[in-house]
Amino acid sequence: EMSIIGVEGFSVLPQHCLAICSFFFFAAIAIKLMRDVTPNCVSNFIPLPMAMAIPFYIGANFAIDMFVGTVILFVWERVNRKESEEFAGAVASGLICGDGIWSVPSAVMSILRIDPPMCMYFKPSFTYG
């Protein structure tokens, strides 16, 4: 997509795309400034714009993986706090690498034109009526 934009210019983008991107760019700066100037007791409840942008950059499937990992860590901290502090980084790295490794079978199945199972890929259903 970036090469298409580089060759054909901004005219290939959807209508109002640059205006929307500019708005969210300045909104992220405003949120970050608001987070910096408020006291810690308030700024803890203001989200980080970069953290909100990660799913758009990497993809929504990674955000789902991070959510599931956070829930696992939350429960693990309640059950065994000492062990969760020692192994949380290793478990998180394993979950991230596991998700990355799953892209290899996905690419092979795509090359062979095999439809992946439901648990591997979600696509919209079309109803004809």
Side-chain angles (χ1 to χ4, degrees):
E1 293 298 322
M2 292 302 288
S3 62
I4 292 172
I5 292 173
V7 171
E8 297 182 20
F10 290 122
S11 63
V12 297
L13 292 174
Q15 186 179 13
H16 306 297
C17 183
L18 288 177
I20 292 170
C21 289
S22 300
F23 169 77
F24 282 110
F25 173 76
F26 289 112
I29 290 174
I31 291 170
K32 181 62 179 155
L33 288 174
M34 186 174 22
R35 186 176 165 86
D36 288 343
V37 299
T38 56
N40 282 341
C41 61
V42 176
S43 68
N44 289 335
F45 297 103
I46 300 174
L48 291 169
M50 189 62 184
M52 293 187 304
I54 289 172
F56 295 100
Y57 180 70
I58 296 174
N61 61 337
F62 190 73
I64 294 169
D65 295 340
M66 289 181 71
F67 172 74
V68 171
T70 304
V71 170
I72 290 170
L73 182 63
F74 178 77
V75 171
W76 194 13
E77 284 179 344
R78 299 289 183 234
V79 173
N80 190 346
R81 185 161 192 81
K82 183 179 185 297
E83 189 176 293
S84 70
E85 288 176 0
E86 293 174 0
F87 296 112
V91 172
S93 298
L95 289 171
I96 291 170
C97 290
D99 186 49
I101 290 172
W102 189 246
S103 63
V104 174
S106 175
V108 170
M109 292 174 73
S110 176
I111 290 170
L112 298 175
R113 300 183 195 279
I114 299 172
D115 286 332
M118 182 64 176
C119 63
M120 187 175 158
Y121 179 71
F122 294 97
K123 59 183 176 181
S125 63
F126 297 101
T127 57
Y128 300 100

